[in-house]
Amino acid sequence: MRNAPETFAKPRDAEKWLTLTESQMIKGEWSPPEGAEITVREYGHRWIADRKLAPRTRELYGDLFRLYVDPHLGKLELGSVQPATIRSWRSTLLATRCREPQAVKAYTLLRAIFNTAVKDDEILSKNPCRIRGYDTYHTPERPTATVDQVHALAAVMPKRFSAFILVAAFSGLRWGELAALRRCDVDLDARTVKVHRKLAALRTGLEFGPPKTVAGIRSVALPGVATDALKDHFAAGYVPDDPEALIFTGDKGALLRSGNFRRTTRWAESTRAAGLGDDFHFHDLRHTGNTLAAAAGASTKELMTRLGQSSMRAALGYQHAASERDREIADAMDKRIRRQRRKAGSTGTPMARKIEKS
């Protein structure tokens, strides 16, 4: 038994409310009102704690909720949050110098939290985070290094990091995947590398763990130039003769940290020397190998496998960017067309040759 949310002045008003509530129950749209009384703060913290997440992802979600959601919406009851509340919240975020990418990530997180309240826990009938356009933002296109620029960058690196640059560029592996590679993960004869873990930087320190998604566990074929770089790297003695030995480490064999790497390699100075500018990120090297794979004719599924992505979005982006390959295809088509036209001109019927001459 549950009481109505208010006392009605007339029996007729009470009957109308009861009829409406019974209708909602029949259509499956009614939820127990006490469930919606939990605060956004309490439910959000519980959602992040109970969710199966990678350690780094859990930290990121916790930061987003703590910085952008809790201060503005934390005290509100779930059932009181409406689309107008979400619009006001977003406007407040952007007005307080929160960058749009962070606002989008915070909105996406909040929408996932409310989705659980609606679909799994069934304590809400609708998700207030259903405003079109709030889950996307314009991302400026990142630079893609040419093959010559990649080699130039590898040449100005300290010797122990030359192969690191070449393998990063021509395999498409992420920083954490490269930093976690061991001797036993690489087959130089087959020219393949197995990716089944990554090195993540957490507040508590560096930690090995599985890739973010199942798609991240994969085997990637390496171009010969990347394999040759690894052979030279092994021959130089940078990797101990142990199957479990890490392939890429710091000067003293320590785990790679992005901050230490940038200082040791003088990253900004090195990228300028290679003609890549000050704003070139290590992650941008990944674009080179993936763009080359797309230009070589890799299918969407094949690109997804190399990328370690479960979504087609990134793969389609590289295929769209492979305009150089499109020109090669068009030029090859043109040669084929002209060759067949010449052949037709020499073997065609007299009438066909007469028409063509005219």
Side-chain angles (χ1 to χ4, degrees), residues 63-90:
D63 289 343
L64 287 171
F65 192 85
R66 175 177 55 84
L67 295 173
Y68 305 117
V69 179
D70 192 21
H72 306 280
L73 305 175
K75 295 180 180 179
L76 299 179
E77 295 179 352
L78 287 181
S80 69
V81 180
Q82 302 297 319
T85 314
I86 300 301
R87 283 192 289 269
S88 176
W89 165 65
R90 175 181 163 87

Side-chain angles (χ1 to χ4, degrees), residues 167-206:
V167 175
F170 299 130
S171 70
L173 267 61
R174 303 173 179 88
W175 168 278
E177 295 168 344
L178 290 162
L181 286 180
R182 300 163 298 178
R183 265 188 180 269
C184 60
D185 297 323
V186 176
D187 187 333
L188 293 177
D189 294 328
R191 294 192 299 175
T192 59
V193 57
K194 293 180 180 179
V195 181
H196 52 85
R197 67 176 193 165
K198 67 177 182 180
L199 181 63
L202 307 177
R203 291 193 187 90
T204 55
L206 297 175

Side-chain angles (χ1 to χ4, degrees), residues 109-330:
L109 172 63
L110 189 61
R111 182 176 61 185
I113 292 172
F114 272 102
N115 267 340
T116 300
V118 173
K119 297 179 180 179
D120 297 340
D121 294 341
E122 298 182 347
I123 57 178
L124 295 177
S125 59
K126 289 185 179 180
N127 188 334
C129 299
R130 54 180 189 272
I131 304 172
R132 185 175 299 177
Y134 277 19
D135 58 351
T136 58
Y137 62 93
H138 173 69
T139 306
E141 187 172 347
R142 295 298 307 166
T144 300
T146 65
V147 172
D148 287 343
Q149 287 172 328
V150 170
H151 280 88
L153 181 60
V156 297
M157 288 281 112
K159 291 296 184 182
R160 72 178 304 112
F161 293 123
S162 294
F164 190 50
I165 296 298
L166 293 173
V167 175
F170 299 130
S171 70
L173 267 61
R174 303 173 179 88
W175 168 278
E177 295 168 344
L178 290 162
L181 286 180
R182 300 163 298 178
R183 265 188 180 269
C184 60
D185 297 323
V186 176
D187 187 333
L188 293 177
D189 294 328
R191 294 192 299 175
T192 59
V193 57
K194 293 180 180 179
V195 181
H196 52 85
R197 67 176 193 165
K198 67 177 182 180
L199 181 63
L202 307 177
R203 291 193 187 90
T204 55
L206 297 175
E207 181 178 301
F208 291 103
K212 186 175 181 179
T213 64
V214 175
I217 301 173
R218 63 202 189 278
S219 178
V220 178
L222 298 176
V225 63
T227 308
D228 292 342
L230 283 174
K231 290 178 179 178
D232 293 341
H233 187 72
F234 291 152
Y238 296 125
V239 187
D241 191 14
D242 178 353
E244 296 295 318
L246 291 172
I247 295 176
F248 301 114
T249 59
D251 290 336
K252 298 180 180 179
L255 299 177
L256 280 181
R257 291 177 178 269
S258 58
N260 292 344
F261 172 80
R262 290 179 63 86
R263 286 191 293 272
T264 302
T265 61
R266 298 182 178 179
W267 181 257
E269 182 181 324
S270 298
T271 54
R272 284 197 299 270
L276 293 167
D278 294 336
D279 190 42
F280 189 82
H281 301 164
F282 183 89
H283 189 76
D284 294 332
L285 288 169
R286 175 170 156 87
H287 302 326
T288 298
N290 296 328
T291 300
L292 288 170
S299 67
T300 302
K301 182 63 177 176
E302 289 165 341
L303 280 174
M304 288 171 63
T305 299
R306 289 190 69 86
L307 288 163
Q309 295 277 7
S310 55
S311 168
M312 291 192 299
R313 182 177 178 182
L316 290 173
Y318 285 113
Q319 287 180 320
H320 177 72
S323 57
E324 182 180 346
R325 172 62 178 170
D326 192 41
R327 170 48 50 200
E328 292 177 0
I329 292 172

Side-chain angles (χ1 to χ4, degrees), residues 25-40:
M25 294 177 72
I26 293 172
K27 291 188 288 186
E29 298 176 352
W30 182 84
S31 300
E34 59 270 22
E37 293 173 358
I38 185 174
T39 64
V40 173

